[in-house]
Amino acid sequence: ETDLLLSILILFLISPFAYAEEAKEFIINEDSVGGIKIGDSIDSIYTVYPEDKIRLENLKGYAEGQFCPGLEILNDKNEPSLDVLITWKDGWIIESIYVLDKRYKTKAGVGPGSTIGDLREKYGLESVTFLGGRLYISVKGFKASFISQFGGIPVEYLENLQT
């Protein structure tokens, strides 16, 4: 009886981390990633990820150097996996989710590390905007935007991306 109780207790104690790594299946949806959803309370993050894998950060890189509160979610190697921007609307809610971990993919197989050609092939490009050193790409049939960070892009190349 003691062994069974100990096994159940151990399973219960490790299950939040196991759930976070297995249940989310590393899927990028239009309004959710890794078991967390845009518009939900930040409390929902703590039901999916263990507290020691969540860090409160100033994610100023997403707001051109200005204060930008957010949560950084670490993977099992303690590397940044998701950056979650938060805002106050009758409580702290999830405003946007930035995916850093290459294990995350859309159902079409697009994620961090994919190319603009991959986006064009899997979805078709809808619009491309260059702003603040980033390329924001909207695709057909998927409401979320894809962001590419690189500089020195020839204007001719950006113009040709629209087609």
Side-chain angles (χ1 to χ4, degrees), residues 24 26 28 33-34 49 81-82 99 101-105 111-112:
K24 67 185 170 200
F26 301 103
I28 301 171
V33 176
Y49 297 92
S81 185
L82 301 172
V99 181
D101 190 324
K102 291 184 177 187
R103 295 178 291 178
Y104 289 94
K105 304 281 184 209

Side-chain angles (χ1 to χ4, degrees), residues 141-155:
F142 196 83
K143 294 178 188 174
S145 293
F146 296 87
I147 301 171
S148 180
Q149 297 181 19
F150 53 91
I153 306 167
V155 173

